[in-house]
Amino acid sequence: MKTIDELLHEGVEGKRVFVRADLNVPLDGTTITDDGRIRAVVPTIEALADAGARVVVASHLGRPKGAPDPAFSLAPAAARLGELLGAEVAFATDTVGDSATETVAGLGNGQVAVLENLRFNPGEASKDDAERGAFADRLAALADLYVGDGFGAVHRKHASVYDLPARLPHAAGHLIATEVGVLKKLTDDVQRPYVVALGGAKVSDKLGVIDHLLEKADRILIGGGMAYTFLKAQGHEVGISLLQEDQIPAVQEYLARAKERGVEFVLPVDVLVASEFPDLKTKAPANPTTVAADAIPADEEGLDIGPETRKLYASKLADAATVFWNGPMGVFEHPDYAEGTKAVAQALVDSPAFTVVGGGDSAAAVRTLGFDENAFGHISTGGGASLEYLEGKTLPGLAALED
């Protein structure tokens, strides 16, 4: 895989460089609530601009249905990128139309432009190869070179991720090179003990990675909404907690395989419960109670791991040499249910291990809860991409950058 350093060595002055970034940031109206993904691509954009390239940045945001939707405009992300670069960033109000063509044509050496949301064009995410290819052809007309740096999108077979690199000389940006290097430390060159902490809502989202990690990890900690399917699989009642009944046979199989292979599976011993889901807008006090994990009342739901589980998980992380964490331990967006996620984050901060926060809600939680990002070995920008890499899948966006 060619890197941006090689591209810069060859020279990019005066050339139009298309940077596929991941500016898919959370928005409250037009206010960005977490700019981590924008900050992550700044080193690549700065390096190209400083070398005299005419930088064309493109990304998706959210899930618009192949047509313009003001709620998913990249305008706020373009404005924030300009603030971080300390330079004006031009913004095209379309992807391959007149505005994009004129905006790119107006760039001087070292200047940067952002195109409107790629998913406003149906060709970006089309399952039809010809439709995707036609859109990629139009994008290719805007550039001389391609740099892939949107790690959060490399697991998507989309036009700007998969088809466009085949049409232009291409290289991997700094972010993708870093992300891949980190993930190799979790797959090819693992320092042990290797401990994995998995949370989040649905166990179905994590089955593939659990299956693969049973061959790699020494210990797996389970929290979040997915924990209640595990507890149910062990024969415990879980009240009205989030439950995927159809996944119980798979979970039982994984628990049995873990036992056979000597992989330690650690489940909550106590949980915080309430009779209704908390109000995440007002953050009104929820007044949860703590119960044993095998004694959840029939009319209540588990919303966070309890204090004894926090201590247990901290102890299970303390001796690790490598830690991968993906998924919060509870409804961290509400202060009454944030302590479990906070405890796991703090355990990673306190650990001398190589620690990786696997993107998505985990990365958002780290920032929301006020942790110093530099206290972790690495915070990924791609939750889904990280998980699919750890599952051993071929990621289209990475395969497209290989020569």
Side-chain angles (χ1 to χ4, degrees):
M1 185 183 294
K2 187 174 186 178
T3 68
I4 187 175
D5 289 332
E6 295 172 77
L7 199 66
L8 292 168
H9 180 72
E10 293 168 1
V12 295
E13 185 173 2
K15 293 184 178 179
R16 300 168 302 164
V17 182
F18 189 104
V19 177
R20 199 342 177 151
D22 180 10
L23 308 181
N24 185 28
V25 292
L27 293 171
D28 181 2
T30 59
T31 301
I32 297 170
T33 57
D34 180 0
D35 68 354
R37 283 176 167 165
I38 303 175
R39 286 186 284 110
V41 76
V42 164
T44 289
I45 295 171
E46 281 187 330
L48 290 166
D50 289 348
R54 303 177 182 194
V55 187
V56 182
V57 182
S59 175
H60 71 287
L61 191 152
R63 296 180 183 273
K65 298 178 180 179
D69 183 339
F72 297 106
S73 175
L74 275 173
R80 180 60 181 145
L81 178 61
E83 291 172 357
L84 292 168
L85 292 171
E88 183 179 350
V89 168
F91 182 66
T93 57
D94 56 26
T95 55
V96 290
D98 291 342
S99 180
T101 301
E102 292 167 10
T103 301
V104 173
L107 289 176
N109 291 2
Q111 293 184 327
V112 179
V114 172
L115 304 182
E116 184 54 284
N117 192 336
L118 290 166
R119 290 186 185 174
F120 285 0
N121 189 300
E124 170 66 3
S126 176
K127 291 187 175 9
D128 181 83
D129 290 348
E131 185 178 18
R132 245 186 14 256
F135 183 50
D137 287 339
R138 296 184 70 187
L139 290 172
L142 298 173
D144 305 303
L145 303 168
Y146 177 94
V147 171
D149 215 29
F151 181 74
V154 294
H155 58 315
R156 306 294 187 193
K157 192 176 181 181
H158 289 173
S160 65
V161 176
Y162 178 75
D163 301 273
L164 184 55
R167 289 157 167 78
L168 294 170
H170 50 264
H174 290 309
L175 176 61
I176 279 186
T178 298
E179 294 271 16
V180 171
V182 166
L183 289 169
K184 283 183 176 177
K185 290 185 180 181
L186 300 178
T187 53
D188 301 337
D189 185 25
V190 182
Q191 299 298 306
R192 300 187 180 279
Y194 179 19
V195 183
V196 176
L198 296 175
K202 294 182 179 180
V203 68
S204 56
D205 293 341
K206 303 293 195 319
L207 286 179
V209 75
I210 292 172
D211 183 49
H212 203 69
L213 287 170
L214 285 172
E215 310 293 327
K216 302 276 187 183
D218 300 301
R219 188 179 300 144
I220 300 175
L221 317 180
I222 301 293
M226 63 185 286
Y228 304 102
T229 301
F230 276 87
L231 291 170
K232 185 73 171 179
Q234 290 189 325
H236 304 308
E237 289 304 320
V238 296
I240 57 172
S241 303
L242 188 61
L243 175 65
Q244 290 185 285
E245 293 246 24
D246 61 324
Q247 302 298 333
I248 288 176
V251 167
Q252 289 172 329
E253 178 198 338
Y254 288 161
L255 289 171
R257 279 177 55 199
K259 189 173 182 180
E260 289 172 10
R261 293 184 169 278
V263 178
E264 186 181 4
F265 242 105
V266 190
L267 299 180
V269 295
D270 63 343
V271 296
L272 269 61
V273 299
S275 58
E276 59 183 19
F277 199 81
D279 189 323
L280 300 183
K281 285 194 174 180
T282 66
K283 308 288 175 74
N287 301 316
T289 55
T290 301
V291 300
D294 60 359
I296 298 174
D299 60 348
E300 298 198 298
E301 63 179 318
L303 295 163
D304 194 14
I305 57 174
E308 292 305 314
T309 305
R310 292 172 218 152
K311 289 186 216 172
L312 173 65
Y313 284 13
S315 71
K316 295 294 184 180
L317 291 162
D319 66 344
T322 304
V323 178
F324 174 71
W325 170 36
N326 181 281
M329 296 291 108
V331 187
F332 74 92
E333 299 92 339
H334 191 286
D336 288 352
Y337 301 106
E339 292 303 316
T341 302
K342 192 180 294 184
V344 168
Q346 188 61 56
L348 266 64
V349 169
D350 294 340
S351 172
F354 175 63
T355 57
V356 179
V357 180
D361 287 340
S362 312
V366 163
R367 298 183 184 107
T368 299
L369 298 174
F371 286 91
D372 180 357
E373 294 179 46
N374 295 321
F376 302 89
H378 179 70
I379 298 178
S380 179
T381 57
S386 295
L387 290 176
E388 290 198 16
Y389 189 101
L390 293 180
E391 286 178 45
K393 290 184 177 180
T394 297
L395 305 188
L398 296 185
L401 294 175
E402 297 284 357
D403 287 311

